Amino acid sequence: IVFEATAGASMTNKIDLAGRNAVVTGGAQGIGRAIVERFLDSGAAVAIWDRDRALAEKTVAELGNRGRLAPVGVDVTELAHVERARDATLGAFGRIDILVNNAGIADTKASIDLTEADWRRVLDTNLDGAWRMAQAVAKAMIAAKRPGSIVNIASILGLRQATHLLA
C-alpha cells in the first residue's frame, strides 16, 4: 500500500490489485458494493456474489465500464450454492485471489420476541455463511498453489449492544 498526499488534498491510499481476482459476498449494494468499486479501481476482476442475482446483474451493468465483473447468485446458507458459486467464478476468472466475506443480515425484533428460526437465520448467514465461504474458497486457493487473502467483515454489534438488533 502506498500513501500519497498532495497540497490541499486528503490522503488516499492506492492499492495495486492488477491481475488479481476477487469475490465480494453481498457485493451488489451497500458496503459490499463500495468494496467492489474500490477493487475495480485498483485493477482487480471482481465476482459479485449476492443472494439477489438480479441485483448483482444490475450492479454489474452499472459498473461494467470500470473493469471485469461477474455476477453470481449464491445463498451462503447452502454449501452446495457456495460450491457452485466458487466453481462458476473459477470458470470465469481461472482462480480466486481474494475473498471478502461481507454478506450479512439483521433482525430488528426485540430479543424477547425472536424465535429460534429467526436466531438460526441470522447466525446461518452471518456466522456459518462466512465459514462456508472461507472453507470453499480456501480449498480453491490451496489447489491453485497461490497465496490468497480472506477478509471477514463483522458487525459492530459483535462489540457493543444495540437495542433490537442481533450481531
Side-chain angles (χ1 to χ4, degrees), residues 83-104:
E83 290 173 338
R84 278 195 301 268
R86 176 202 56 208
D87 295 345
T89 302
L90 291 173
F93 293 164
R95 68 177 194 283
I96 300 169
D97 302 302
I98 302 163
L99 166 64
V100 177
N101 266 322
N102 173 69

Side-chain angles (χ1 to χ4, degrees), residues 4 6 11 33 39-40 44 46 52 55 61 78 85 110 120 140 142 147 157-158:
E4 64 180 44
T6 58
M11 185 177 290
R33 181 177 170 142
F39 282 1
L40 288 170
V46 184
D52 187 341
L55 185 57
E78 298 288 339
R120 278 298 339 141
I142 291 166
L157 297 176

Side-chain angles (χ1 to χ4, degrees), residues 96-118:
I96 300 169
D97 302 302
I98 302 163
L99 166 64
V100 177
N101 266 322
N102 173 69
I105 61 171
D107 196 312
T108 58
K109 290 181 188 171
S111 296
I112 196 136
D113 295 328
L114 285 173
T115 66
E116 186 171 345
D118 296 331

Side-chain angles (χ1 to χ4, degrees), residues 23-24 34 41 61 77 91 108 110 112 117 132 145:
V23 167
V24 179
D41 293 345
T77 69
T108 58
I112 196 136
R132 283 183 200 93
K145 297 183 177 164

Side-chain angles (χ1 to χ4, degrees), residues 34-105:
I35 294 166
V36 168
E37 291 182 23
R38 180 60 187 266
F39 282 1
L40 288 170
D41 293 345
S42 299
V46 184
I48 297 174
W49 289 13
D50 205 281
R51 182 179 5 189
D52 187 341
R53 168 122 186 161
L55 185 57
E57 290 171 350
K58 180 178 182 249
T59 302
V60 165
E62 292 169 357
L63 301 176
N65 64 337
R66 291 173 69 173
R68 190 168 172 212
L69 286 155
V72 180
V74 62
D75 178 353
V76 302
T77 69
E78 298 288 339
L79 180 59
H81 288 224
V82 171
E83 290 173 338
R84 278 195 301 268
R86 176 202 56 208
D87 295 345
T89 302
L90 291 173
F93 293 164
R95 68 177 194 283
I96 300 169
D97 302 302
I98 302 163
L99 166 64
V100 177
N101 266 322
N102 173 69
I105 61 171

